[in-house]
Amino acid sequence: MGKPLEGIKVVEVAMWAFVPACGGMLADLGAEVIKIEPPSGDPLRGLQIGGLGQSAIDYSWESYNRGKRSVTLDLKQPAGRAVLDRLLEDADVFLTNLLPPARRTMRIDAATLREAFPRLIYASGSALGPNGPESDKGGYDAITFWARGGLASSLTEEGALHPVGPPGPAFGDTLSGAMLAGGICAAIARRALTGEAGEVDVSLLGAAMWSQQRLICQATADGVRKFPRPDPRLPNNVLVANYRTADGRFVALCMLQADRYWARFCEVAGRPDLAADPRFANSAARRENLAACHEAVTELFASRTLAEWRDILSRQDGQWDVVQDVGEIAQDVQVRANGYLKQVPAGGDTTLPMVSVPMLFDGAALPSSRSPELGADSDAVLSALGYSEDEIIDLKVQGVVF
């Protein structure tokens, strides 16, 4: 069975991570994604990120530009713009994150392109949305998604010297890019069903709000500026908490129906006396004696290693999991069984690890291929558009194609 977006052509004029991550997902889903890069290339190429090692592989570039074709093209020159027009004649999607003023200057804004190509779906990733007084403003995931979108504040304890930062590079970019890919798929379906193309935009701010809508809606309804962080030292429910084991690891419990699981948990943990204790007999009693109950459970977890707790907790029905480090995830039995992390051919006998798109089709993960070298496909793509060898050479002499 083929990939779900085979036959769809996407032309991407974008840089950094947010919208390119969307293009990478579309490529894995089967679309032909042609990435238009300026002569200097996407600035993400070769970006050094502190604290992440000195691997010869640029995993940011590889992850967000997987499976694409690269064409270097100077869109500021009329001849470069003419090449783009030829590319768009049979394209299904135009994908961009250039700021609106730059798009208008280069005549790649939605009004211009959709007038010329009515069946074209115009997809954009923005910082703050296409409407409003700040619609032309740029942004990045660390400041727009994480900071302005409220995540930093929601995760930071009162009185902290600094707000909590994102867990890693492009955290908000990849989530927002996936949402934009979903919007594009919906637009493709609408066009197939109604013949109507159109525009779709996903913003970093909007994606951040979607990710924590429960807090935002509650705060808006209640007139609250910020909810206090739950005190991890004393949870409302002792079976919804993280506990340190004897070997310094953490186990996360999320047994929301505490009375359903409490007695069996105590039994398999070797402490049936806790369930029999009137102070801890049910949820109401445990809340009244929360400090004593939490202390008992904390000491219980501290008495055994993670390996022991894996065995113990597997013998009861309540929900739990291990707090894993990123370096452990590759060996996770479910990751391996579902192909969530794969090895992609990288030339010769070498491979590189790459995370699969998170949806499986017919029970299987989709394959991926490496990201392109700068301009690797310029000649082939132009030749397929009807440019002769002499015309391609002339474009190179003019500095239009590289």
Side-chain angles (χ1 to χ4, degrees):
M1 185 174 293
K3 292 185 175 183
L5 291 185
E6 284 181 2
I8 296 295
K9 178 179 175 181
V10 178
V11 176
E12 175 188 306
V13 180
M15 58 187 68
W16 298 111
F18 167 18
V19 169
C22 168
M25 177 172 276
L26 296 175
D28 262 18
L29 289 170
E32 177 192 14
V33 181
I34 299 174
K35 183 179 181 70
I36 306 299
E37 298 189 65
S40 57
D42 184 329
L44 184 65
R45 288 183 180 271
L47 178 68
Q48 296 297 313
I49 300 174
L52 289 182
Q54 301 301 318
S55 171
I57 301 295
D58 182 348
Y59 285 101
S60 291
W61 176 256
E62 293 289 348
S63 295
Y64 315 139
N65 291 283
R66 59 180 72 191
K68 300 178 186 178
R69 307 176 77 190
S70 172
V71 174
T72 51
L73 196 61
D74 186 353
L75 293 178
K76 295 179 181 179
Q77 296 194 48
R81 187 61 177 70
V83 173
L84 178 66
D85 282 346
R86 283 209 205 181
L87 277 170
L88 293 176
E89 285 177 0
D90 64 346
D92 298 285
V93 180
F94 180 75
L95 180 60
T96 188
N97 66 351
L98 270 61
L99 295 180
R103 293 185 227 163
R104 291 190 290 267
T105 299
M106 299 167 70
R107 296 186 300 111
I108 58 171
D109 56 289
T112 300
L113 292 188
R114 296 208 59 251
E115 181 179 3
F117 308 103
R119 69 179 298 277
L120 185 69
I121 294 167
Y122 192 97
S124 57
S126 62
L128 301 166
N131 307 306
E134 296 182 67
S135 58
D136 287 355
K137 183 178 180 179
Y140 290 94
D141 73 327
I143 57 174
T144 311
F145 181 96
W146 193 259
R148 187 164 181 168
L151 278 86
S153 173
S154 294
L155 290 171
T156 302
E157 294 185 8
E158 202 67 41
L161 293 177
H162 302 283
V164 172
F171 180 81
D173 286 329
T174 51
L175 295 178
S176 303
M179 293 182 190
L180 180 56
I184 290 170
C185 290
I188 292 171
R190 180 178 69 173
R191 192 186 64 179
L193 293 170
T194 69
E196 179 184 357
E199 302 171 36
V200 56
D201 180 274
V202 168
S203 71
L204 291 167
L205 177 60
M209 293 180 63
W210 178 262
S211 71
Q212 55 170 2
Q213 55 187 284
R214 174 66 175 82
L215 286 178
I216 292 172
C217 293
Q218 191 72 59
T220 301
D222 295 351
V224 173
R225 187 178 70 86
K226 179 180 179 180
F227 293 104
R229 291 284 299 154
D231 187 348
R233 296 167 297 182
L234 198 62
N236 292 324
N237 175 356
V238 296
L239 293 185
V240 180
N242 295 323
Y243 293 99
R244 184 187 292 272
T245 64
D247 50 350
R249 298 300 302 274
F250 287 95
V251 175
L253 307 184
C254 190
M255 305 182 197
L256 298 173
Q257 297 171 287
D259 284 341
R260 176 179 174 182
Y261 302 115
W262 174 246
R264 178 62 178 165
F265 164 77
C266 294
E267 179 184 348
V268 298
R271 290 295 306 275
D273 57 298
L274 292 177
D277 191 322
R279 297 175 301 163
F280 312 143
N282 53 46
S283 294
R286 288 191 295 275
R287 277 195 297 271
E288 291 180 6
N289 300 278
L290 187 56
C293 189
H294 184 248
E295 181 181 6
V297 176
T298 298
E299 291 176 354
L300 178 58
F301 271 93
S303 68
R304 296 189 177 97
T305 66
L306 176 60
E308 291 175 297
W309 278 112
R310 284 183 185 272
D311 176 63
I312 291 168
L313 292 170
S314 69
R315 290 185 270 117
Q316 54 87 55
D317 294 330
Q319 295 75 31
W320 64 278
D321 233 315
V322 176
V323 178
Q324 291 197 122
D325 298 322
V326 291
E328 297 178 293
I329 293 175
Q331 303 306 318
D332 188 301
V333 62
Q334 286 302 114
V335 170
R336 296 169 71 89
N338 289 285
Y340 292 143
L341 184 69
K342 57 201 168 189
Q343 294 294 328
V344 174
D349 295 327
T350 64
T351 61
L352 60 88
M354 188 174 290
V355 174
S356 297
V357 294
M359 64 280 287
L360 303 185
F361 289 87
D362 304 307
L366 296 170
S368 298
S369 58
R370 287 198 66 176
S371 62
E373 296 294 330
L374 179 62
D377 305 288
S378 295
D379 287 8
V381 169
L382 265 66
S383 179
L385 292 174
Y387 286 90
S388 68
E389 183 177 350
D390 287 342
E391 288 174 319
I392 294 173
I393 292 172
D394 186 50
L395 288 171
K396 292 182 178 180
V397 170
Q398 296 177 57
V400 174
V401 178
F402 295 81

